[in-house]
Amino acid sequence: MTKRFSALAVSAAIVGGLFITSVPAQAAPSAVSAKAAVTCHPNQMRQQIADLKTKAAKLKQLGETAAAKRTLNEAAAIQKKLNACVKGDDEASKPFPG
């Protein structure tokens, strides 16, 4: 009985290993094409941030503090993406960072 379980475990490990090694090779082309499609539009992102902050201020004046907070969080998320994008562009322009 123990031999059956160990044989089953070994065969499952081999099949699982073969499956794991074959999956990334098939998924790699789609990941590369998705990564190449990422673009950064700093001016548009800055405008979105300004619009969201204006909207949050209006919501806060109307007493909608929860909605204003959500809007500010959305603006902060866009700001974070913008910072990462600008940093990536700055680092990409240098041939040897350091």
Side-chain angles (χ1 to χ4, degrees):
M1 185 85 165
T2 308
K3 290 182 182 180
R4 286 187 197 168
F5 284 128
S6 61
L8 181 63
V10 169
S11 63
I14 291 171
V15 171
L18 291 174
F19 179 72
I20 289 173
T21 57
S22 66
V23 171
Q26 294 172 355
S30 63
V32 171
S33 64
K35 196 171 197 176
V38 175
T39 58
C40 181
H41 302 288
N43 293 334
Q44 182 181 8
M45 293 172 92
R46 286 185 184 104
Q47 185 62 46
Q48 286 177 338
I49 293 167
D51 291 344
L52 287 171
K53 286 183 178 182
T54 303
K55 181 180 177 181
K58 288 180 184 178
L59 288 169
K60 190 173 181 181
Q61 283 181 342
L62 295 173
E64 298 288 336
T65 56
K69 186 175 179 179
R70 282 192 304 270
T71 306
L72 285 175
N73 287 339
E74 188 178 343
I78 294 172
Q79 182 67 48
K80 187 175 179 180
K81 288 179 186 178
L82 175 63
N83 292 344
C85 187
V86 169
K87 182 180 177 185
D89 286 346
D90 289 343
E91 290 178 358
S93 64
K94 299 175 185 174
F96 300 106

